[in-house]
Amino acid sequence: LKFDNKLSNVAFDYNVLRPYTSVREALCELEIPYVSRPCARGSPRRTQLMRRTGGTFQVPYLEDPNTGVAMFESAAIVEYLHKTYAC
């Protein structure tokens, strides 16, 4: 996930994963624009994610171009979004 008012956040995910739902809900609640990049088994996006993370495949994964933060773990991502972007 990448986000701000100028740049879209990028989120790598499986659309069916329940943990990712909390991340999507936080992004919507905070009105943060983002781009979701599903990376199903066999998808070139999965390979792209693994390159970006040094060989790790774990979703959801968030990249914030505004702060340079890149992270895994739904609960940590939701906490980060609220601490960083809530009014």
Side-chain angles (χ1 to χ4, degrees), residues 60-71:
Y61 173 73
L62 172 84
E63 292 179 349
D64 183 348
N66 300 310
T67 62
V69 168
M71 61 193 317

Side-chain angles (χ1 to χ4, degrees), residues 8-54:
S8 294
N9 288 301
V10 175
F12 289 86
D13 68 277
Y14 280 131
N15 284 334
V16 297
L17 283 181
R18 192 158 203 59
Y20 182 63
T21 302
S22 61
V23 173
R24 265 189 300 204
E25 288 173 355
L27 289 164
C28 291
E29 174 187 328
L30 297 168
E31 298 180 355
I32 299 169
Y34 70 98
V35 174
S36 177
R37 295 191 178 156
C39 48
R41 186 169 288 134
S43 167
R45 289 186 180 129
R46 182 182 282 228
T47 304
Q48 179 187 13
L49 174 59
M50 292 179 71
R51 285 188 191 129
R52 291 171 101 130
T53 62

